[in-house]
Amino acid sequence: MRRSWAVSIAAFVASASLLVSCARDPALVLSSDAATTPVTATKVPAAPPPPSIIGGTAPGSLVSVQPLDDIADDIAELGATATRVVYRSTSGTDGEPTDVSGTVVIPGGSAPEGGWPVVSFGHGTTGVLNNCGPSQYDNLLGSAPIVAALVLNGYAVTMTDYQGLGLDGSYHPYLDSKTFGYNMIDAVRAARNFLPTLSTRWAAYGVSLGGMAAWAASDRNAEYGGGLDLVGTAAIVPVSDMAGLADSAAAGTLTRAQYPLLMYALHGLAITHPEMNLDDYRSGLARDRWDDFMQCVPPGSDAVPELVAALTATDLRPVSQEAADRLRGWLSDMALPKQKSDTPLLVMYGSEDDLILQAWTEKALASACDSGDEVEYELHYGEGHGDVDSSRSVPWVKARFAGQRVDNTCEQRR
């Protein structure tokens, strides 16, 4: 999620580091001891993999698989294989079964004993329409460099498109943490059905909207993650409790970076809540060009950034205090956290974030700490949504797989 609402990520891999930068996504810098060649690359031919398990109705069951032969060079040059999968999951809004698409990337070479460990990666905002699923694009709508970095560090990577992105017949409940959490967990099950020798040990990792999805996987794990072993979750500048959007919209104090975020949320809420009158929350340019604003990220039209720049606070002001109160309630229903997490969580956020305000993240962190969660969190002073130094995040994930002790910030600040 970013000011331009593009998910293009420029990557540079050299001198044992990977830098991922863009207009709004934070930089991802691996530590000096991070691997920069395939971890277990070998000239010895690997044993043929067992067949995929296709069929069934349980969460994570595979509906279909399709090799991605034209996947971005970031991934292909590693000798990794990429596959588009469609799998069963669960809607967080009504508990009904859903089909969700995503991507599974398997490293080249021989797996370590116990199978490749898995990272379920949560991508940032790509839009809200059916054609906005990263698995439909060779570059995974900009996520290929980060996926490649995780593969280089010895992980099989599974990346859900999220419900409603990538498949017809459903809708995308933007900001709904329960749906995202279910989709992230079931993406691991889908990966293990695709390659049954994958480890049951996994981590969740995500940035911005994907940070919400990763945190939500931790939040849902105790009651939904049976049969898998979640070792920890890294959430970088995560969306969490966005109820404050309602009050900012009513007061006319939304930042320009928050305009598209609110519009995407309103799009999903209008479907989840049929009683909602969308025009209670949009007027002027927002109402007149609504379909243009809903385009995938990056937009299919050069006019979209100009349209966003032309929006005013009045275009997204609720018509009444009652309408604002309803919006606040709906956003709270989708917020994090909802229950106690049973695995460690890393949260990194910035003091100058104009998309996800510091106070909003700290409200969610306070709730997590009050529930007894094991959270290591870092406030990066002077850094915003797109430039938080996340260089510790991948080593932190590695430490969770290694069983190392977590530095629980909640305990230190009680």
Side-chain angles (χ1 to χ4, degrees), residues 75-321:
I75 294 171
E77 290 176 353
L78 304 179
T81 60
T83 304
R84 185 174 193 261
V85 299
V86 176
Y87 64 94
R88 310 289 190 192
S89 192
T90 304
S91 168
T93 61
D94 59 14
E96 290 297 311
T98 57
D99 287 352
V100 178
S101 56
T103 305
V104 175
V105 180
I106 306 297
S110 298
E113 184 178 354
W116 294 110
V118 181
V119 170
S120 187
F121 175 67
H123 66 81
T125 295
T126 58
V128 292
L129 303 180
N130 297 145
N131 63 333
C132 300
S135 70
Q136 298 169 298
Y137 300 84
D138 295 344
N139 70 346
L140 305 180
L141 281 179
S143 289
I146 298 182
V147 171
L150 293 167
V151 170
L152 279 170
N153 277 266
Y155 302 115
V157 180
T158 184
M159 184 178 75
T160 178
D161 286 340
Y162 309 133
Q163 177 185 315
L165 304 182
L167 291 177
D168 294 333
S170 184
Y171 78 101
H172 182 56
Y174 190 75
L175 300 186
D176 184 62
S177 65
K178 285 183 69 174
T179 297
F180 290 169
Y182 294 155
N183 294 169
M184 290 280 285
I185 295 170
D186 288 332
V188 180
R189 294 186 172 117
R192 297 193 69 251
N193 281 322
F194 172 71
L195 183 61
T197 57
L198 290 179
S199 175
T200 58
R201 304 182 75 223
W202 69 287
Y205 188 104
V207 180
S208 193
L209 183 70
M212 169 180 247
W215 189 342
S218 176
D219 191 74
R220 296 286 107 192
N221 184 63
E223 51 93 7
Y224 193 79
L228 301 172
D229 181 10
L230 176 62
V231 300
T233 297
I236 315 303
V237 291
V239 177
S240 51
D241 187 338
M242 303 303 287
L245 281 173
D247 297 313
S248 294
T253 58
L254 288 169
T255 67
R256 187 159 300 279
Q258 292 168 344
Y259 290 170
L261 187 153
L262 178 57
M263 287 190 288
Y264 285 153
L266 291 172
H267 171 89
L269 286 170
I271 301 173
T272 302
H273 299 279
E275 73 278 12
M276 172 184 169
N277 182 357
L278 190 54
D279 288 339
D280 283 351
Y281 303 96
R282 63 178 187 177
S283 61
L285 184 63
R287 182 189 59 231
D288 296 342
R289 302 295 297 272
W290 188 258
D291 289 345
D292 292 315
F293 287 118
M294 294 301 108
Q295 288 190 34
C296 302
V297 181
S301 169
D302 293 337
V304 174
E306 297 177 4
L307 288 172
V308 174
L311 282 169
T312 68
T314 303
D315 293 325
L316 292 169
R317 193 191 300 271
V319 295
S320 65
Q321 186 58 52

